[in-house]
Amino acid sequence: MDKISLARESATGALCEFVAALRVEDLPAPVVDRTEDLFLDWVASALAGKGGHPVPLFERYAAAMGPAHGRCVILTNRRTTSAHFAALVNGAASHLVEQDDLHNSSVLHPATVVFPAVFAAAQDLGKSGSELLLAAVAGYEAGVRIGEFLGRSHYRVFHTTGTVGTLAAAAGVAKLLGQDARTLAHTLGSAGTQASGLWEFLREAADSKQLHTGQAAANGLLAAYLAQDGLTGAHGVLEGRQGMAAGMSSDADPGRLSDRLGQRWATLETSFKFHASCRHTHPAADALLHLMRTEGIAHGDIASIRARVHRAAIDVLGNVDEPGTVHQAKFSMGAVLGLIAVHGRAGLEEFRDHALTDPAVADIRRRTTMVLDDEVDRAYPARWLGRVEVETRDGRRLAAAIDSPKGDPDNTLSRPELETKLRRLAAFSGAATPAQIDAWIPRLWSLRHARDLSDFLPEAS
């Protein structure tokens, strides 16, 4: 293997060496199992994006600018196109309904950037299911460590899934291309110089979040393909004097880039999303559900709710006082807790039917506040603790705490629960019929054995 010049002196070099050398045989069985789980969960999220604004805009752009047919499938309409445009649309669609996975300590949604890129590239290059899984693991391993490297300060301004996601997607596609460590370093350099995504869109309920993930997947693929053909990129794009850390972080930790490579596995650390909302709301939502069930209170009993949260939750969710769109409601702690209190769920249907129109939900939203909790903030981002306090109309003060939100690795979704989620999300958007899902599920659970991915998820009849 061609050693890159900075391998001895940089953590980036060590990460590139690891990804380039990684083989299917190196993956523990639980890692392969979990990566299949995450792929099925990503397919569910992508299907759920069908028809939801702004996904049709991306579909129309792909139809206008891309080829009429290609080797790669757009999951929302099952039309085929080039790898670039399939990655773009699938990346946008799978981040729309807020049901895609999350890795806690990196605050990265890996699936929505890694899988669109590696699935498209695998179809384009004629790769097998096991090669796709290996590429996905490579993307997760690189992306999670780069997210941890950039730290909490990065996330205050930058949407990590848009920025770091570009490099995660690039690493996954680089693995499919069989890049050595030197070429992979060039790939990351070109990916890093394209990395972007700002949180300001939340204040105005703009559509940029889906652009972030679509572009991250497509630009990561672009970086890998160009590097394969000889385009050079900066080896110091992460750690250099004018690299990502210098411009995008004040607490970067290079040691995180090579943390326990080959010993800890990012896919095993990744959480599934249960509620259809920003992950920062999930700990409090689970705590409120627990409190209402154990105390036997109804939403009409609630005088006020205090959600005790980490700083990043206030930074992100505090931008939304009165949501103007369903998507913005998913970033409102009050709206999410209102749905939980009134309807017992914060799923896709509840957001669509009640988040903006139900007076009882609005009443709870206005009675909800967030306060910074030192214990919760110290635990974050490694752990996302849920703490709520409820004052009832008859003067009682009640509190509840949960340490592992539903979907976390130690409170995970089982394969039957993931199948149920897939069926629910496909039915919500109408992107696939129950019969199609019945036919797809066995394929998804045997992805590692697929020799040909060209018709893995067939076009619509």
Side-chain angles (χ1 to χ4, degrees):
M1 182 171 53
D2 182 18
K3 302 287 184 180
I4 64 175
S5 59
L6 64 152
R8 293 190 185 91
E9 59 194 55
S10 81
T12 303
L15 179 61
C16 289
E17 296 283 2
F18 171 77
V19 171
L22 190 63
R23 304 170 303 161
V24 171
E25 295 78 14
D26 299 327
L27 304 181
V31 172
V32 178
D33 292 343
R34 178 52 63 92
T35 309
E36 281 185 336
D37 294 350
L38 293 165
F39 182 72
L40 180 143
D41 191 63
W42 169 72
V43 169
S45 289
L47 293 175
K50 178 180 176 65
H53 180 80
V55 173
L57 307 185
F58 288 86
E59 293 174 337
R60 291 201 292 273
Y61 179 76
M65 303 299 290
H69 300 285
R71 291 190 287 267
C72 308
V73 67
I74 294 173
L75 290 176
T76 48
N77 58 23
R78 248 91 75 225
R79 294 176 181 168
T80 57
T81 184
S82 67
H84 182 88
F85 286 102
L88 176 73
V89 180
N90 288 334
S94 57
H95 202 47
L96 178 66
V97 300
E98 296 295 328
Q99 288 274 258
D100 51 311
D101 67 19
L102 176 89
H103 183 273
N104 284 350
S105 57
S106 60
V107 202
L108 172 71
H109 296 273
T112 194
V113 289
V114 171
F115 282 123
V118 299
F119 185 49
Q123 289 190 310
D124 184 52
L125 298 167
K127 299 295 184 178
S128 68
S130 64
E131 289 172 307
L132 185 154
L133 290 170
L134 176 64
V137 170
Y140 272 67
E141 294 300 318
V144 160
R145 286 172 173 80
I146 294 169
E148 292 175 340
F149 155 71
L150 288 173
R152 293 179 66 167
S153 65
H154 179 76
Y155 189 74
R156 293 190 189 109
V157 176
F158 294 98
H159 181 203
T160 302
T161 304
T163 55
V164 173
T166 310
L167 291 96
V173 176
K175 191 64 194 173
L176 279 172
L177 290 166
Q179 291 184 0
D180 60 24
R182 177 180 293 278
T183 308
L184 175 56
H186 289 307
T187 290
L188 293 183
S190 291
T193 205
Q194 298 178 86
S196 61
L198 297 164
W199 279 117
E200 184 65 21
F201 73 89
L202 267 181
R203 298 179 187 273
E204 302 174 35
D207 300 323
S208 303
K209 199 164 192 271
Q210 288 70 54
L211 181 63
H212 293 175
T213 54
Q215 279 292 88
N219 286 346
L221 185 145
L222 171 70
Y225 273 56
L226 287 175
Q228 189 75 2
D229 204 33
L231 188 78
T232 62
H235 286 188
V237 75
L238 294 175
E239 303 170 76
R241 286 188 304 160
Q242 292 177 297
M244 289 182 72
M248 295 177 161
S249 174
S250 61
D251 62 345
D253 179 3
R256 304 296 292 179
L257 291 170
S258 56
D259 177 41
R260 291 168 288 160
L261 288 167
Q263 298 175 36
R264 60 173 288 216
W265 296 95
T267 55
L268 298 180
E269 299 172 352
T270 300
S271 300
F272 299 103
K273 288 181 77 173
F274 185 68
H275 309 294
S277 59
C278 174
R279 182 68 173 176
H280 291 298
T281 67
H282 290 210
D286 283 358
L288 180 62
L289 267 176
H290 177 72
L291 184 147
M292 294 184 72
R293 288 168 179 170
T294 56
E295 298 292 340
I297 63 172
H299 68 89
D301 301 322
I302 296 173
S304 66
I305 301 174
R306 283 162 54 96
R308 308 192 68 89
V309 298
H310 48 266
R311 166 56 62 185
I314 295 173
D315 291 343
V316 173
L317 306 176
N319 293 325
V320 182
D321 294 322
E322 187 165 346
T325 67
V326 168
H327 194 259
Q328 200 177 34
K330 297 184 177 197
F331 287 80
S332 163
M333 180 67 83
V336 173
L337 296 190
L339 290 173
I340 291 292
V342 178
H343 298 282
R345 283 176 45 85
L348 296 176
E349 295 81 2
E350 286 74 27
F351 274 102
R352 179 193 63 201
D353 299 338
H354 305 297
L356 302 178
T357 58
D358 188 332
V361 171
D363 181 62
I364 295 294
R365 174 173 56 78
R366 297 185 186 104
R367 296 175 183 273
T368 298
T369 57
M370 291 186 293
V371 296
L372 181 65
D373 184 284
D374 289 341
E375 177 202 14
V376 174
D377 195 53
R378 283 194 302 271
Y380 174 86
R383 300 172 67 204
W384 296 40
L385 306 180
R387 304 287 187 266
V388 296
E389 298 168 346
V390 171
E391 183 174 351
T392 63
R393 293 182 184 274
D394 60 7
R396 289 177 291 161
R397 297 181 182 273
L398 308 172
I402 62 101
D403 292 343
S404 297
K406 180 65 173 175
D408 265 10
D410 57 351
N411 187 18
T412 193
L413 299 184
S414 66
R415 285 199 162 186
E417 287 176 313
L418 289 171
E419 290 181 14
T420 297
K421 181 179 175 181
L422 170 60
R423 295 180 190 281
R424 188 177 72 248
L425 268 59
F428 175 81
S429 67
T433 66
Q436 285 175 316
I437 297 300
D438 287 342
W440 289 1
I441 285 175
R443 291 188 180 198
L444 291 164
W445 289 145
S446 58
L447 175 59
R448 72 192 74 181
H449 303 300
R451 295 183 180 181
D452 180 8
L453 299 173
S454 61
D455 195 35
F456 187 71
L457 299 175
E459 294 184 55
S461 57

